Amino acid sequence: MLGPGARSGISALPEVAWRRHARPQQCPARGARAPGVAMTSELDIFVGNTTLIDEDVYRLWLDGYSVTDAVALRVRSGILEQTGATAAVLQSDTMDHYRTFHMLERLLHAPPKLLHQLIFQIPPSRQALLIERYYAFDEAFVREVLGKKLSKGTKKDLDDISTKTGITLKSCRRQFDNFKRVFKVVEEMRGSLVDNIQQHFLLSDRLARDYAAIVFFANNRFETGKKKLQYLSFGDFAFCAELMIQNWTLGAVDSQMDDMDMDLDKEFLQDLKELKVLVADKDLLDLHKSLVCTALRGKLGVFSEMEANFKNLSRGLVNVAAKLTHNKDVRDLFVDLVEKFVEPCRSDHWPLSDVRFFLNQYSASVHSLDGFRLVAQHVCLCPGVCPSHPPVSPPFPHSVRRPAER
C-alpha cells in the first residue's frame, strides 16, 4: 500500500520506472490447435515511502495558485518537453503534490509536530525547508500590515492588500495567519522574543528576528503606514525594532528581570522626560551646542547647517522622547522622528556619515554637562549612539540597510 506522498508521477520519475511492451505468446484458437498471438503488458514499478517534495510546486502552492493555474505555469516552464510527460500526468502530479501539502499544513502550524510525526517520511533538511518557506513572507505584504493589530478587522482588509500588492488573497491569508499564530504563542512568554520564536517554530535566526520585529510592532501598534514613511522598507523597521528590544524593553533596562521583549519599559519612558532640561534650560542648551560644535568642527561636510539648526534638531529629538509616556505618541514615534529630525536633515542634504557623527557626539556630549551627568547615567535618548551602547546607524537619514545583509 502506498503511503502519503508516495507517487509515480513526474516528480517520482527517478524512483519509479515503468515499461510496457508486447510479447508474442502462443495460445490455441477456440476449437482449434492453430497458434495465435496475444498481447500482454508488463509493469515494473519500484515504490518507496519517502515523501517527495517538489520545491517548485511547493512555491506555487504557497503563492496561492490553484491546481489549474499551477499546471499552466508548469507547462509554460517547459516541464513537458524536459520530462516527456503528458499533460494528464502533469495534472495528476500537481494534484498529488497539493494533496500532500494540504495534509502537511496542519503540522506546519506547529512545526515541532512535523519533526516528531511518523506518517510522512521526510528527511530533516526537507523538513527545515518546508517550515522556513511556509513562514517566509513577502515584504510588500508585511509593509501593509506592520504595526497593525492582528485582528479580524485587519484580516478584512486583505482583499484590498491583495489587489494593491499583486499577491494572491490565499497567500495573504497564509502570511497574516502566520503572523497572528506566532504572536499568540509568544505574547505571554518570558525570555528572549527571538529565542521563544525559534524554540516554538523552528525558524532560522534571521527569520525569527524578522518575526520578533513583526510581533514587537504589532504589540506596540507603531504607525508605519503614513505616506511620509513609505520610503522605509521592512528591513529598516526591523533594524529599529531589534535596537529597541535590546535597549528600551523591561528586560533590557533591568538586568535583574527576566527578559520581557514585548513591552516598552514604562519607567524608562517616564525617565526620558528628564531630557527636557536639555532644551528648557537656555544655558544648558548653549553649552551642549558648544560642546557638539567644538567636537565636530572640521569633521562634518554640513557643519554650518548643523550649527545653524542645532537648537531645532535638539528640541525635535528631546520633545519626541519626552512625549513617549502617552500611548498615541508611542504609536507615532517614527512619524515624529521623520518630521522632527529626518526631514530637516534631508532638506539640508546631510550624508549618512554626518548624521552618524552628529548623533554620536550629541549623545556623548551630554555626559560632560554639569548638573546632567546623573540623569545621563540612567537615560539615553538614542540607544546605540551613546558611549554605553554600541554604535548603530542613525534614524532614517535615508533607507537604512541592515549590517552585513544588504
Side-chain angles (χ1 to χ4, degrees):
M1 178 178 178
L2 296 180
R7 286 191 291 280
S8 57
I10 291 178
S11 301
L13 287 178
E15 296 194 26
V16 180
W18 64 276
R19 67 176 180 268
R20 187 173 183 173
H21 60 269
R23 183 178 62 188
Q25 183 180 26
Q26 298 294 329
C27 63
R30 182 182 296 271
R33 300 184 53 153
V37 177
M39 302 298 291
T40 64
S41 295
E42 288 186 0
L43 183 67
D44 295 340
I45 185 167
F46 169 79
V47 179
N49 67 346
T50 299
T51 300
L52 301 175
I53 304 295
D54 187 305
E55 295 182 31
D56 293 330
V57 181
Y58 188 48
R59 168 50 56 194
L60 293 171
W61 180 74
L62 290 175
D63 286 345
Y65 290 105
S66 65
V67 171
T68 301
D69 291 338
V71 169
L73 289 169
R74 296 184 76 188
V75 169
R76 260 179 268 169
S77 73
I79 192 170
L80 296 182
E81 292 77 14
Q82 296 166 16
T83 62
T86 65
V89 170
L90 182 65
Q91 174 85 11
S92 176
D93 179 70
T94 305
M95 291 179 63
D96 196 21
H97 272 297
Y98 270 49
R99 280 192 295 267
T100 299
F101 299 148
H102 282 303
M103 289 188 287
L104 286 170
E105 189 167 20
R106 63 181 179 81
L107 299 173
L108 290 168
H109 290 172
K113 292 183 178 180
L114 179 64
L115 270 61
H116 299 111
Q117 56 80 38
L118 301 176
I119 298 175
F120 299 94
Q121 302 301 308
I122 305 174
S125 61
R126 282 309 218 193
Q127 292 177 342
L129 179 144
L130 288 171
I131 295 168
E132 191 80 359
R133 293 194 179 177
Y134 188 79
Y135 283 91
F137 52 82
D138 294 291
E139 177 159 330
F141 175 76
V142 73
R143 273 299 279 116
E144 294 295 322
V145 300
L146 187 66
K148 294 183 179 180
K149 190 175 182 179
L150 300 175
S151 63
K152 292 181 179 178
T154 303
K155 194 168 186 178
K156 290 179 181 177
D157 297 332
L158 295 185
D159 283 326
D160 295 334
I161 294 175
S162 174
T163 301
K164 180 179 179 180
T165 61
I167 300 168
T168 66
L169 180 58
K170 189 173 182 180
S171 181
C172 288
R173 287 173 176 163
R174 173 184 60 82
Q175 295 178 56
F176 180 85
D177 289 342
N178 285 346
F179 297 162
K180 186 175 181 178
R181 185 180 308 110
V182 173
F183 183 93
K184 290 294 185 183
V185 168
V186 303
E187 66 175 328
E188 299 296 337
M189 289 184 177
R190 289 183 176 270
S192 164
L193 189 53
V194 174
D195 290 346
N196 286 337
I197 292 172
Q198 284 188 297
Q199 178 182 351
H200 289 83
F201 292 92
L202 309 180
L203 305 182
S204 66
D205 180 72
R206 183 68 270 162
L207 189 55
R209 291 180 184 279
D210 285 341
Y211 267 87
I214 293 167
V215 168
F216 182 72
F217 267 66
N219 185 64
N220 292 285
R221 304 287 300 280
F222 291 115
E223 174 61 59
T224 66
K226 291 289 180 66
K227 185 176 180 180
K228 62 181 57 186
L229 299 179
Q230 290 307 303
Y231 76 99
L232 295 167
S233 69
F234 168 73
D236 298 329
F237 286 115
F239 178 72
C240 295
E242 190 166 344
L243 288 173
M244 294 172 75
I245 290 171
Q246 292 170 1
N247 295 285
W248 287 19
T249 58
L250 184 60
V253 174
D254 189 346
S255 60
Q256 300 302 313
M257 296 288 292
D258 290 336
D259 282 346
M260 297 177 66
D261 291 348
M262 292 280 283
D263 299 316
L264 297 174
D265 179 59
K266 300 300 183 182
E267 291 186 16
F268 169 72
L269 299 181
Q270 188 68 33
D271 288 342
L272 289 177
K273 296 177 72 173
E274 301 293 334
L275 292 168
K276 293 180 72 173
V277 70
L278 279 174
V279 295
D281 186 317
K282 184 179 184 303
D283 292 337
L284 206 58
L285 178 58
D286 290 338
L287 180 57
H288 190 198
K289 175 181 177 179
S290 176
L291 290 171
V292 173
C293 291
T294 299
L296 295 180
R297 193 179 303 277
K299 297 180 180 179
L300 294 187
V302 292
F303 180 83
S304 59
E305 291 86 349
M306 182 277 293
E307 186 177 31
N309 207 27
F310 178 88
K311 293 182 179 180
N312 289 332
L313 292 175
S314 185
R315 288 192 184 98
L317 288 171
V318 170
N319 288 336
V320 168
K323 295 192 302 180
L324 293 178
T325 52
H326 304 291
N327 289 336
K328 182 183 184 304
D329 293 307
V330 170
R331 288 197 294 269
D332 289 339
L333 171 63
F334 296 99
V335 177
D336 292 339
L337 277 174
V338 168
E339 289 180 349
K340 305 298 184 183
F341 184 79
V342 176
E343 289 180 347
C345 291
R346 183 185 290 154
S347 65
D348 285 337
H349 307 290
W350 285 45
L352 174 61
S353 58
D354 283 2
V355 178
R356 182 180 290 114
F357 276 134
F358 171 76
L359 288 176
N360 277 323
Q361 195 57 47
Y362 179 89
S363 187
S365 297
V366 170
H367 295 262
S368 302
L369 297 175
D370 291 334
F372 197 74
R373 290 174 182 164
L374 182 60
V375 175
Q377 290 176 6
H378 301 285
V379 177
C380 176
L381 172 62
C382 305
V385 298
C386 74
S388 61
H389 295 85
V392 298
S393 297
F396 322 133
H398 53 67
S399 189
V400 179
R401 301 302 180 195
R402 282 191 201 161
E405 185 180 55
R406 299 191 174 199

